PDB file of all heavy atoms in Angstrom:
ATOM      1  N   ARG A 263       9.988  -4.233   7.198  1.00 98.00           N
ATOM      2  CA  ARG A 263       9.861  -3.996   5.709  1.00 98.00           C
ATOM      3  C   ARG A 263      10.669  -5.122   4.903  1.00 98.00           C
ATOM      4  O   ARG A 263      10.494  -5.173   3.671  1.00 98.00           O
ATOM      5  CB  ARG A 263      10.331  -2.632   5.401  1.00 98.00           C
ATOM      6  CG  ARG A 263       9.276  -1.526   5.860  1.00 98.00           C
ATOM      7  CD  ARG A 263       9.599  -0.194   5.312  1.00 98.00           C
ATOM      8  NE  ARG A 263       8.817   0.795   6.032  1.00 98.00           N
ATOM      9  CZ  ARG A 263       7.588   1.132   5.825  1.00 98.00           C
ATOM     10  NH1 ARG A 263       6.960   0.619   4.778  1.00 98.00           N
ATOM     11  NH2 ARG A 263       6.949   2.051   6.607  1.00 98.00           N
ATOM     12  N   ILE A 364      -0.376   4.952  -7.620  1.00 97.00           N
ATOM     13  CA  ILE A 364      -0.298   3.735  -6.860  1.00 97.00           C
ATOM     14  C   ILE A 364      -1.566   2.922  -6.747  1.00 97.00           C
ATOM     15  O   ILE A 364      -2.676   3.528  -6.686  1.00 97.00           O
ATOM     16  CB  ILE A 364       0.344   4.034  -5.462  1.00 97.00           C
ATOM     17  CG1 ILE A 364       0.848   2.809  -4.755  1.00 97.00           C
ATOM     18  CG2 ILE A 364      -0.646   4.741  -4.554  1.00 97.00           C
ATOM     19  CD1 ILE A 364       1.758   3.140  -3.600  1.00 97.00           C
ATOM     20  N   LYS A 366      -3.793   0.510  -4.378  1.00 98.00           N
ATOM     21  CA  LYS A 366      -3.946   0.042  -3.186  1.00 98.00           C
ATOM     22  C   LYS A 366      -4.972  -1.154  -3.172  1.00 98.00           C
ATOM     23  O   LYS A 366      -6.062  -0.993  -3.588  1.00 98.00           O
ATOM     24  CB  LYS A 366      -4.411   1.110  -2.145  1.00 98.00           C
ATOM     25  CG  LYS A 366      -3.309   2.095  -1.769  1.00 98.00           C
ATOM     26  CD  LYS A 366      -3.512   2.762  -0.422  1.00 98.00           C
ATOM     27  CE  LYS A 366      -2.289   3.478  -0.061  1.00 98.00           C
ATOM     28  NZ  LYS A 366      -1.579   2.787   1.028  1.00 98.00           N
ATOM     29  N   SER A 405       0.007   8.974  -0.118  1.00 64.00           N
ATOM     30  CA  SER A 405      -1.340   8.745  -0.589  1.00 64.00           C
ATOM     31  C   SER A 405      -2.365   9.429   0.132  1.00 64.00           C
ATOM     32  O   SER A 405      -3.592   9.635  -0.355  1.00 64.00           O
ATOM     33  CB  SER A 405      -1.555   7.324  -0.786  1.00 64.00           C
ATOM     34  OG  SER A 405      -1.570   6.682   0.489  1.00 64.00           O
ATOM     35  N   ASP A 452       0.338  -2.206  -1.348  1.00 98.00           N
ATOM     36  CA  ASP A 452       0.531  -1.186  -2.313  1.00 98.00           C
ATOM     37  C   ASP A 452       1.313  -1.762  -3.571  1.00 98.00           C
ATOM     38  O   ASP A 452       2.311  -2.461  -3.382  1.00 98.00           O
ATOM     39  CB  ASP A 452       1.366  -0.031  -1.722  1.00 98.00           C
ATOM     40  CG  ASP A 452       0.708   0.720  -0.683  1.00 98.00           C
ATOM     41  OD1 ASP A 452      -0.557   0.502  -0.433  1.00 98.00           O
ATOM     42  OD2 ASP A 452       1.372   1.446   0.073  1.00 98.00           O
ATOM     43  N   ILE A 466       5.174  -2.897  -2.964  1.00 98.00           N
ATOM     44  CA  ILE A 466       6.137  -2.044  -2.282  1.00 98.00           C
ATOM     45  C   ILE A 466       5.866  -1.888  -0.735  1.00 98.00           C
ATOM     46  O   ILE A 466       6.655  -1.444   0.030  1.00 98.00           O
ATOM     47  CB  ILE A 466       6.285  -0.648  -2.788  1.00 98.00           C
ATOM     48  CG1 ILE A 466       4.821   0.125  -2.926  1.00 98.00           C
ATOM     49  CG2 ILE A 466       6.874  -0.609  -4.214  1.00 98.00           C
ATOM     50  CD1 ILE A 466       5.048   1.525  -2.999  1.00 98.00           C
ATOM     51  N   ASP A 467       4.651  -2.373  -0.337  1.00 98.00           N
ATOM     52  CA  ASP A 467       4.290  -2.133   1.091  1.00 98.00           C
ATOM     53  C   ASP A 467       2.985  -3.025   1.461  1.00 98.00           C
ATOM     54  O   ASP A 467       2.160  -3.220   0.603  1.00 98.00           O
ATOM     55  CB  ASP A 467       3.905  -0.629   1.268  1.00 98.00           C
ATOM     56  CG  ASP A 467       3.572  -0.227   2.726  1.00 98.00           C
ATOM     57  OD1 ASP A 467       4.089  -0.869   3.646  1.00 98.00           O
ATOM     58  OD2 ASP A 467       2.781   0.704   2.901  1.00 98.00           O
ATOM     59  N   ILE A 468       3.029  -3.526   2.646  1.00 98.00           N
ATOM     60  CA  ILE A 468       1.905  -4.270   3.152  1.00 98.00           C
ATOM     61  C   ILE A 468       1.427  -3.656   4.455  1.00 98.00           C
ATOM     62  O   ILE A 468       2.422  -3.463   5.327  1.00 98.00           O
ATOM     63  CB  ILE A 468       2.102  -5.754   3.231  1.00 98.00           C
ATOM     64  CG1 ILE A 468       2.722  -6.364   2.009  1.00 98.00           C
ATOM     65  CG2 ILE A 468       0.896  -6.538   3.764  1.00 98.00           C
ATOM     66  CD1 ILE A 468       2.994  -7.923   2.107  1.00 98.00           C
ATOM     67  N   ASN A 469       0.231  -3.333   4.737  1.00 98.00           N
ATOM     68  CA  ASN A 469      -0.236  -2.773   6.001  1.00 98.00           C
ATOM     69  C   ASN A 469      -1.246  -3.660   6.725  1.00 98.00           C
ATOM     70  O   ASN A 469      -2.330  -4.016   6.057  1.00 98.00           O
ATOM     71  CB  ASN A 469      -0.839  -1.427   5.653  1.00 98.00           C
ATOM     72  CG  ASN A 469       0.201  -0.462   5.073  1.00 98.00           C
ATOM     73  OD1 ASN A 469       1.208  -0.264   5.637  1.00 98.00           O
ATOM     74  ND2 ASN A 469      -0.222  -0.079   3.861  1.00 98.00           N
TER      75      ASN A 469
HETATM   76 MG1  LIG B 619       2.215   2.318   1.565  1.00 73.85          MG
END
Side-chain angles (χ1 to χ4, degrees):
R263 294 191 193 271
I364 194 165
K366 285 207 166 252
S405 60
D452 296 342
I466 57 163
D467 184 29
I468 307 179
N469 302 300

